[in-house]
Amino acid sequence: MLPHLAKAASAILVGAAKYGFACVRARGAGTRNQRRADAILTFLTRMGPLYIKMGQIAATRSDLLPAEWVSTLRSLHDRTPHMSPQRTRRAIERELSDSLESGFSAFELRPVASASVAQVHVAHLHNGRKVAVKLVKDGVPAQIEESLRTLGALVTLVHRLVPRARRLNLPTRFDELARLLRPQADMKHEAGRQQRIHANFAEHPYVRVPAVFPELVTERMLVMEYMDGIPGNRAETVGFPRERLARRLQDVVYTMLYMHGLSHGDPHPGNVLFTPDGELVLLDFGVTVELSEHEKWGLSSFYYACIRKEWTLASERFTRHFVLTSPELEARRTEYDRHMMEILRHHFDISSTRWSSMAYVGDVLKLLGNFHAQYTTNFTKVELVFLSSEGFVTQIDPDIDIWSNARKFTDRYSPYMSAEVESRFAADFARQMPATLQLRERARDTLVAPGHADRYFFPSAFPVFVRQATGGRVRDFDDNEYLDLCGGYGPHLLGYAHPAINAAISASLGNGLVNGIGNPHEVELAELLVASLPSAEKALMCNSGTEAILFAIRMCRGYRRRNKVAKFEGHYHGFSDQGMVSSWFRFSGETDRPQPIAGSLGTDPDTVDNTLVLQYGDLCGLTRLREHAEELACVVLEPMPTSVVTLDVPFLTELRALCTELNIPLIFDEVVSGFRVAYGGVQNLVDIHPDLTCLGKVIGGGLPCGAVVGRATFIDMAKSSQDPFYDYENKVFAGGTLSGNSLTCAAGTAVLRHLDANPQLYTQLDDKTQRLAAMLRQSTSQRDIACKINARNSIFSLTFSHREARLYRERMAGSNFKATIALAYYMRKHRVYLPELHSFLISAAHTTEDLHQIALAFERSLDEMLADGLFVL
């Protein structure tokens, strides 16, 4: 719709120019183009807010229109006709339902800006606070509705009378656009969107959004904090490099679209201010664009294929997400794909340095018309943002490479910003670890290693193969020693090759490895586990955290005779179908009512359907447990989600109380946190105890181990009654050849005894955690790099993002994955092994000197990343 809207706007402008040309010519003022520009301005102003909006968009298209037109139409951004002082006073007092003086100690009745819908005044509250008052002009809401009716009727007429136009489904597209434009005269709606965007940018290094005063917001008036700055149409006067200013503006728009999912819908020069030092102030949120999780996924996956120049895949993704196919397209799919790939290759590769969304979408629509197919309406709103922002940034910097800058977002799951950086990494690591890279190549012939080299979503381009591991360090086959911040993803709390663990394993080996038959170490480890958790009565041993989760859920399903499981978005419970539901980077549903989605291809759909997904920390969302209480077998969660390292005690308290009230078993997944954050785990830190606890990692001393520990009522669901008929009808099966084997249990017993005897280790670990986190935060702050580091009890979560995310999906959507993944390789160059995942850990074996070495490597890595252009500053 928007390319056609742009063409229609151009036609209207030309028509307006011809209409008023004679009158203006008679006055004999200016050049031919200037006289036409004046005629256009007069016409649009008389026609009302929607036509003014067209003029505002046109005023950013210096690449398409004469300079005189663009210069003249810029006045529509903030200098359109406004109400008289008397009329303004009456309007304000109508909104206040009182005198103007009752709300403000001072009020400038002449506006500082006036655009298509509203005018803005400077005022002071009675407490002395300087504010901006946005007031909808009288009659504008009715004008918008009238214009929409007129344009809608015109679109419908064209659809009926012009056969070629029917292919474009213009009425549907116009309805989508109308829904986007209609709320711009509703200040309550705008205030809500402004508050959300203000929160999203609250800690951004160079973006500011005025705070709203909700008590002074009505349907026609919005009061916000006053922010001063240089108007966007005077960007050339900003004392800041124009190329950086343009990149910042594009970065902000793409951040809103790709990461926040809520964007300013009309980022033209009248809605942006600049400060002398290059900050951006966003104004006027009457038009906003909100993308669903599905829409964000489609946008990212399509552009990612284009980045990689995988044109066949790009064509398939574009068609799947953005095209309403037709019988003709399906019948001629090969021909269609060939033409689509030519268009994509032309715009995203051959001419990408002079990117134009209008030209690209125009070519696509022409192709779809040839196959009687249609462009979906889902991304009409995105095109509006691209249309406005691209014109604006090219006015600031005519030489900007829009597509290159966009790669930060479209390619954010890739570790490299450019081929140059990638080749330099390859060369550096070829010198640093040639023998290790040879092992990588050897492994590719026979081994798929999903735990490191071939990791799902985040494969390691330069994996480390370890020859020796001791304390807090690992050594590769090229004799490079790395400080290790992985710890096997959690088991090595005491460091590698700890004397107490080695001694226990050696003694057990001397007595022969026992499995499938009882051994004393199995009993001893169970006793230690039960004693460590106040609510626990019995334990069941298994081989991993994933198995522990599987058994715990099976016990609860058997006990409750129900199948549905409640879990929390972003909480990973191992690789089982149930454990991975809504655990990764794809989300579904509204934020406050997330819907389950498979974590991987091959997941049983029934398992997904039998999952209720909640949000950790969302107290109001817990009411959904009450709604589904009769369907639920259990609730499972990480009490301290390790991917984001947050601990919400009031939330856990309410969850425990509600599960008790509803008689729903509560399972804590402490596979990572168990015995790492405290002896026993998080539940002992906060004194909130579940019915069942799933353990793993630390309790095996580095060997494969898992356990379900908890109330006998549930654990005994896996205990035979010695009546096989009764067992089949009333018990659950739990097995495993190596479960409770003597070697693993001996190592686990040694770890737990050492931790119990040395409680100071936990205090020391937490002190080291806070010390290292402070050094890392100082490094990012000194370089003005937006980065959030959450850290406690030896666990770290680092993400390059400007906002403190409340929910897991917000954190993932706001993360610069490119920079986070790349950091792992920069750190590797400086002899620190950081996993490519989103979290890392320290161990009791790391010394103060080690922490300083890690911090120094981080500083050097940040400097190199800045030099390589991984951050927009």
Side-chain angles (χ1 to χ4, degrees):
M1 177 71 187
L2 287 176
H4 294 283
L5 177 63
K7 291 178 181 178
S10 299
I12 289 172
L13 298 185
V14 172
K18 292 179 178 178
Y19 178 79
F21 183 61
C23 300
V24 179
R25 182 173 55 186
R27 294 200 295 267
T31 66
R32 179 185 180 91
N33 271 335
Q34 184 59 57
R35 293 195 298 272
R36 290 192 168 184
D38 292 338
I40 293 168
L41 179 64
T42 300
F43 174 79
L44 295 178
T45 302
R46 287 177 177 174
M47 290 299 292
L50 290 190
Y51 292 84
I52 292 173
K53 185 69 64 181
M54 291 183 188
Q56 290 173 338
I57 294 175
T60 68
R61 303 309 310 196
S62 53
D63 54 335
L64 301 176
L65 299 174
E68 294 90 342
W69 293 28
V70 171
S71 176
T72 301
L73 293 177
R74 285 180 181 177
S75 66
L76 297 175
H77 289 145
D78 56 9
R79 298 193 304 278
T80 62
H82 55 81
M83 295 188 295
S84 68
Q86 296 80 6
R87 197 171 180 183
T88 296
R89 172 182 279 274
R90 288 196 298 271
I92 292 291
E93 292 181 339
R94 180 189 66 227
E95 299 308 311
L96 292 174
S97 298
D98 205 338
S99 68
L100 185 148
E101 290 74 19
S102 68
F104 305 97
S105 62
F107 194 100
E108 297 181 17
L109 288 170
R110 188 168 189 84
V112 293
S114 178
S116 60
V117 171
Q119 55 194 52
V120 179
H121 299 261
V122 176
H124 285 80
L125 302 179
H126 288 291
N127 61 9
R129 186 80 177 266
K130 189 177 183 179
V131 296
V133 180
K134 184 174 181 180
L135 181 66
V136 176
K137 301 174 191 177
D138 288 349
V140 161
Q143 289 175 346
I144 291 176
E145 289 300 326
E146 179 61 29
S147 295
L148 288 174
R149 281 195 296 270
T150 302
L151 290 172
L154 179 61
V155 166
T156 301
L157 187 64
V158 170
H159 179 75
R160 289 176 179 172
L161 299 181
V162 182
R164 291 185 61 186
R166 292 176 198 152
R167 303 176 185 176
L168 302 175
N169 196 17
L170 292 178
T172 301
R173 298 176 188 282
F174 181 79
D175 287 344
E176 180 78 14
L177 192 62
R179 282 196 295 271
L180 195 65
L181 297 175
R182 187 171 279 113
Q184 62 185 318
D186 183 347
M187 293 297 100
K188 287 186 176 180
H189 177 272
E190 178 171 340
R193 297 304 178 95
Q194 183 168 333
Q195 286 172 301
R196 289 174 60 188
I197 294 176
H198 172 83
N200 286 339
F201 283 113
E203 298 183 57
H204 197 280
Y206 56 78
V207 177
R208 298 162 63 196
V209 177
V212 171
F213 295 88
E215 68 278 10
L216 291 173
V217 174
T218 69
E219 287 188 4
R220 298 290 175 261
M221 182 179 74
L222 192 163
V223 180
M224 69 195 89
E225 68 174 312
Y226 177 84
M227 286 189 172
D228 203 0
I230 300 166
N233 54 21
R234 291 172 48 206
E236 69 278 0
T237 67
V238 179
F240 193 80
R242 293 185 67 172
E243 63 277 6
R244 289 183 61 191
L245 199 64
R247 283 201 306 272
R248 282 187 169 189
L249 177 59
Q250 186 185 354
D251 180 88
V252 169
V253 171
Y254 278 61
T255 293
M256 289 188 286
L257 282 174
Y258 281 89
M259 294 187 169
H260 299 166
L262 177 63
S263 174
H264 196 300
D266 194 15
H268 64 64
N271 292 336
V272 179
L273 301 176
F274 299 111
T275 66
D277 57 355
E279 290 183 329
L280 282 70
V281 180
L282 302 182
L283 305 171
D284 191 348
F285 300 91
V287 179
T288 54
V289 169
E290 188 160 12
L291 298 181
S292 68
E293 293 296 330
H294 177 73
E295 288 170 334
K296 287 196 296 182
W297 182 269
L299 199 64
S300 296
S301 65
F302 162 64
Y303 282 122
Y304 185 62
C306 292
I307 283 288
R308 295 163 64 90
K309 301 181 181 180
E310 296 174 341
W311 308 118
T312 301
L313 183 59
S315 177
E316 186 279 325
R317 286 178 177 171
F318 180 89
T319 306
R320 171 156 48 100
H321 289 289
F322 308 153
V323 175
L324 298 174
T325 62
S326 65
E328 184 172 349
L329 188 152
E330 296 300 336
R332 300 165 55 197
R333 184 60 186 258
T334 301
E335 180 186 356
Y336 163 83
D337 282 333
R338 177 168 54 81
H339 288 300
M340 178 61 76
M341 287 189 284
E342 289 174 359
I343 291 173
L344 298 178
R345 185 181 294 109
H346 173 75
H347 287 281
F348 289 94
D349 188 14
I350 299 172
S351 63
S352 62
T353 57
R354 303 305 302 171
W355 174 260
S356 169
S357 287
M358 185 180 294
Y360 160 64
V361 175
D363 285 348
V364 170
L365 285 173
K366 183 178 179 181
L367 173 65
L368 294 179
N370 292 338
F371 286 85
H372 298 95
Q374 299 175 9
Y375 193 59
T376 63
T377 60
N378 290 354
F379 291 89
T380 300
K381 47 197 175 184
V382 176
E383 292 167 21
L384 177 62
V385 180
F386 284 153
L387 194 65
S388 294
S389 63
E390 285 178 13
F392 191 2
V393 298
T394 52
Q395 282 186 352
I396 299 172
D397 177 17
D399 297 321
I400 190 171
D401 188 340
I402 289 175
W403 178 233
S404 177
N405 293 333
R407 289 187 58 166
K408 173 185 172 184
F409 299 88
T410 57
D411 193 23
R412 70 185 191 273
Y413 294 118
S414 171
Y416 306 111
M417 177 59 74
S418 67
E420 178 188 356
V421 176
E422 180 177 2
S423 62
R424 191 163 67 248
F425 266 123
D428 288 345
F429 283 121
R431 289 188 295 269
Q432 178 176 320
M433 50 182 193
T436 294
L437 293 183
Q438 285 179 5
L439 266 175
R440 178 192 68 181
E441 297 307 308
R442 176 183 165 191
R444 285 176 176 171
D445 292 336
T446 55
L447 174 68
V448 173
H452 48 94
D454 304 304
R455 188 185 303 110
Y456 186 78
F457 241 92
F458 292 143
S460 181
F462 302 103
V464 169
F465 286 81
V466 176
R467 179 171 62 83
Q468 184 183 35
T470 308
R473 297 170 181 260
V474 296
R475 188 178 296 276
D476 69 10
F477 283 82
D478 296 283
D479 212 34
N480 297 304
E481 187 174 74
Y482 302 87
L483 278 165
D484 175 54
L485 298 182
C486 177
Y489 301 123
H492 301 288
L493 177 64
L494 298 179
Y496 296 100
H498 190 274
I501 300 173
N502 282 359
I505 290 175
S506 296
S508 182
L509 280 174
N511 292 325
L513 175 59
V514 177
N515 60 280
I517 306 176
N519 68 86
H521 299 302
E522 182 181 19
V523 177
E524 189 175 7
L525 181 56
E527 290 172 344
L528 289 171
L529 293 174
V530 170
S532 70
L533 304 175
S535 63
E537 297 169 326
K538 289 187 177 181
L540 179 145
M541 306 305 302
C542 53
N543 295 296
S544 69
T546 294
E547 287 188 15
I549 292 290
L550 282 167
F551 286 152
I553 290 175
R554 182 178 291 176
M555 290 171 184
C556 293
R557 281 183 170 143
Y559 180 81
R560 288 270 292 173
R561 308 293 174 115
R562 292 165 175 82
N563 293 325
K564 190 178 284 288
V565 171
K567 66 167 306 220
F568 290 79
E569 191 169 79
H571 291 210
Y572 172 70
H573 302 298
F575 59 75
S576 70
D577 287 358
Q578 189 81 69
M580 289 180 62
V581 171
S582 298
S583 292
W584 290 94
F585 310 99
R586 185 88 190 265
F587 307 111
S588 181
E590 298 300 319
T591 299
D592 58 346
R593 294 187 77 87
Q595 297 300 310
I597 189 167
S600 166
L601 181 68
T603 297
D604 175 18
D606 289 341
T607 300
V608 178
D609 292 341
N610 271 323
T611 307
L612 173 69
V613 181
L614 307 172
Q615 297 284 19
Y616 182 90
D618 180 11
L619 280 168
C620 295
L622 290 180
T623 57
R624 297 178 70 199
L625 289 179
R626 196 178 297 279
E627 296 171 14
H628 295 272
E630 292 306 311
E631 305 172 72
L632 289 170
C634 59
V635 177
V636 58
L637 79 160
E638 296 178 80
M640 187 178 86
T642 51
S643 60
V644 293
V645 191
T646 184
L647 180 58
D648 190 330
V649 177
F651 177 78
L652 293 175
T653 301
E654 178 63 22
L655 175 62
R656 174 66 276 183
L658 190 58
C659 286
T660 300
E661 175 195 340
L662 300 175
N663 196 30
I664 302 172
L666 177 61
I667 303 170
F668 276 6
D669 177 351
E670 295 226 45
V671 172
V672 175
S673 59
F675 293 92
R676 171 170 283 276
V677 304
Y679 191 78
V682 171
Q683 56 194 278
N684 285 349
L685 274 180
V686 299
D687 196 26
I688 300 171
H689 300 280
D691 300 295
L692 291 173
T693 299
C694 295
L695 298 167
K697 298 188 185 293
V698 170
I699 68 165
L703 297 180
C705 190
V708 185
V709 187
R711 303 188 189 282
T713 302
F714 301 104
I715 302 294
D716 281 345
M717 287 298 298
K719 181 180 180 180
S720 173
S721 68
Q722 299 191 19
D723 178 342
F725 302 97
Y726 183 88
D727 283 0
Y728 182 79
E729 295 173 353
N730 298 284
K731 298 289 185 177
V732 301
F733 176 78
T737 300
L738 296 175
S739 297
N741 72 80
S742 59
L743 192 66
T744 293
C745 290
T749 297
V751 172
L752 267 57
R753 290 202 178 281
H754 184 83
L755 292 172
D756 192 27
N758 296 276
Q760 75 280 359
L761 288 175
Y762 289 108
T763 303
Q764 294 168 359
L765 263 175
D766 203 29
D767 289 344
K768 292 176 184 176
T769 302
Q770 298 310 318
R771 195 178 312 160
L772 178 58
M775 289 190 284
L776 301 182
R777 291 186 185 113
Q778 183 179 23
S779 294
T780 58
S781 176
Q782 288 174 343
R783 291 160 178 79
D784 291 325
I785 295 173
C787 184
K788 294 300 177 186
I789 300 171
N790 294 343
R792 60 177 302 152
N793 308 102
S794 81
I795 306 174
F796 293 74
S797 172
L798 180 151
T799 179
F800 290 107
S801 176
H802 61 269
R803 65 175 182 169
E804 194 70 62
R806 184 177 66 91
L807 302 175
Y808 180 81
R809 69 165 61 182
E810 293 172 348
R811 180 193 183 279
M812 299 308 290
S815 295
N816 183 347
F817 287 110
K818 176 187 294 297
T820 304
I821 298 170
L823 174 65
Y825 300 125
Y826 286 96
M827 293 286 278
R828 215 159 288 179
K829 286 171 54 181
H830 298 295
R831 305 304 193 274
V832 175
Y833 182 79
L834 186 73
E836 291 90 343
L837 292 172
H838 37 66
S839 59
F840 58 93
L841 311 103
I842 60 173
S843 73
H846 286 118
T847 65
T848 300
E849 292 73 21
D850 291 339
L851 303 185
H852 285 285
Q853 185 179 333
I854 293 166
L856 179 60
F858 186 65
E859 286 186 0
R860 291 174 175 171
S861 296
L862 290 180
D863 288 336
E864 292 172 1
M865 293 169 74
L866 281 167
D868 287 337
L870 269 81
F871 305 106
V872 176
L873 296 178

